[in-house]
């Protein structure tokens, strides 16, 4: 059954970035100037539900994975994979081993027939991420107050990224920061922090798509960003209540 249309979510973060050098110092979202080789798309969604995955979502995820299976062996997907690794290496980060970009982990899960299913919104992100060959963060919007800052990780910075307490070293890695002053690392193209990851009770999220400036066009990233946003609205947002009929 087709769900009722979902109202446009409130968005305080702009939907797309072009050139980090153009951002004013006090902008709500800021990319430091040294990351002029990075292209981002950022959007918010409000009203996430705690629904279980629906058969409709299952079919959509399966269609994305089938498309990814066809794309993985192609030169286009491989070139994008190398482009993302080069993006991380440009800042001095070694994107290999356990520090591979997140979408490469998802591609490996596909090969091992254990693709993760976690939460309707996260499922949408994971399926699209592996199909398009780009890492994407999905973070709790409440962790960002005055500013979302994108910068390189500092020496000795790290955060816990899973429930058993394993830590990711952040030095020279592109990180998305929140907190009161926008300085607490919460997400990255490799793994997001436990502090920033969404839980079942979270209703408002912010998504960040990472891409190299010289490998993905602005229009293409915009299209993928809208595709992800629309899939989350379709499968993971509570529809508006039906008006009560008066006697």
């Amino acid at each position: 059954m087709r769900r009722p249309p979902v109202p446009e979510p409130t968005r305080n973060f702009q939907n797309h970035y072009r050139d980090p050098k153009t951002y004013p110092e006090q902008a709500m979202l800021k990319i430091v100037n040294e990351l002029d080789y990075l292209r981002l798309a950022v959007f918010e969604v409000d009203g996430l539900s705690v629904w279980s995955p629906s058969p409709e979502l299952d079919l959509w995820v399966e269609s994305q994975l089938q498309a990814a299976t066809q794309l993985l062996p192609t030169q286009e997907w491989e070139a994008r994979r190398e482009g993302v690794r080069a993006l991380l290496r440009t800042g001095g980060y070694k994107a290999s081993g356990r520090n591979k970009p997140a979408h490469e982990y998802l591609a490996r899960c596909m090969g091992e027939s254990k693709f993760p299913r976690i939460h309707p919104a996260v499922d949408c992100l994971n399926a699209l991420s592996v199909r398009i060959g780009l890492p994407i963060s999905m973070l709790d919007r409440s962790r960002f107050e005055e500013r979302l800052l994108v910068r390189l990780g500092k020496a000795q910075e790290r955060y816990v990224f899973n429930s058993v307490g394993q830590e990711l070293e952040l030095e020279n890695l592109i990180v998305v920061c929140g907190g009161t002053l926008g300085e607490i690392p919460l997400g990255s193209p490799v793994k997001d922090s436990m502090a920033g990851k969404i839980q079942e009770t979270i209703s408002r999220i912010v998504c960040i798509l990472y891409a190299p400036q010289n490998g993905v066009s602005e229009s293409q990233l915009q299209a993928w960003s809208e595709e992800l946003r629309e899939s989350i609205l379709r499968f993971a947002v509570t529809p508006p209540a039906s008006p009560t009929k008066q006697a």
Side-chain angles (χ1 to χ4, degrees):
M1 181 180 294
R2 190 179 184 85
R3 292 177 180 169
V6 180
E8 184 81 5
T10 301
R11 280 188 273 174
N12 293 329
F13 291 141
Q14 296 178 24
N15 190 55
H16 192 72
Y17 291 104
R18 292 185 175 87
D19 182 356
K21 294 178 180 178
T22 66
Y23 308 144
E25 182 62 29
Q26 300 302 321
M28 180 171 286
L29 288 96
K30 183 175 185 293
I31 304 176
V32 297
N33 288 346
E34 64 195 88
L35 295 178
D36 57 0
Y37 50 86
L38 171 65
R39 193 186 299 280
L40 289 184
V42 181
F43 65 87
E44 289 184 25
V45 173
D46 198 1
L48 256 62
S49 71
V50 292
W51 293 353
S52 299
S54 64
E56 187 180 14
L57 172 60
D58 293 340
L59 289 173
W60 184 87
V61 169
E62 183 59 31
S63 71
Q64 297 298 303
L65 298 185
Q66 289 178 359
T69 299
Q70 296 177 344
L71 289 168
L72 284 173
T74 65
Q75 291 183 349
E76 178 184 0
W77 201 96
E78 177 61 22
R80 196 168 298 130
R81 182 192 71 83
E82 179 52 37
V84 173
R85 285 197 176 196
L87 169 70
L88 301 186
R89 288 196 301 266
T90 300
Y93 190 75
K94 295 182 179 179
S96 60
R98 294 184 178 181
N99 297 333
K100 291 185 181 75
H103 65 290
E104 291 192 38
Y105 163 77
L106 295 171
R108 189 185 71 184
C109 289
M110 282 182 54
E112 298 173 355
S113 300
K114 56 178 184 180
F115 197 80
R117 298 295 300 274
I118 300 169
H119 176 286
V122 180
D123 294 346
C124 290
L125 180 152
N126 286 341
L128 186 83
S129 176
V130 72
R131 194 202 86 204
I132 68 175
L134 293 177
I136 308 172
S137 287
M138 179 180 290
L139 301 169
D140 178 358
R141 177 62 178 83
S142 70
R143 299 294 183 181
F144 301 88
E145 297 186 21
E146 297 300 325
R147 184 166 70 170
L148 184 156
L149 173 68
V150 182
R151 60 168 172 82
L152 293 180
K154 301 174 184 177
Q156 300 184 351
E157 270 192 319
R158 59 179 60 85
Y159 56 52
V160 174
F161 66 84
N162 64 16
S163 59
V164 298
Q166 289 182 297
E167 293 184 329
L168 178 66
E169 299 288 340
L170 303 179
E171 183 174 2
N172 295 326
L173 176 61
I174 295 167
V175 291
V176 176
C177 302
T180 304
L181 300 176
E183 273 295 324
I184 301 174
L186 294 171
S188 75
V190 175
K191 296 177 179 72
D192 291 332
S193 72
M194 287 298 292
K197 288 180 181 179
I198 71 168
Q199 308 297 327
E200 286 189 359
T201 56
I202 298 301
S203 65
R204 192 178 182 192
I205 59 172
V206 57
C207 295
I208 304 102
L209 289 75
Y210 309 88
Q213 282 271 359
N214 60 359
V216 176
S217 69
E218 177 184 336
S219 61
Q220 184 63 80
L221 190 62
Q222 179 71 21
W224 286 330
S225 174
E226 285 299 317
E227 185 177 357
L228 176 58
R229 177 179 166 276
E230 289 170 5
S231 70
I232 294 171
L233 290 174
R234 180 182 178 189
F235 298 117
V237 170
T238 304
S242 301
T244 302
K245 293 183 178 180
Q246 296 183 354

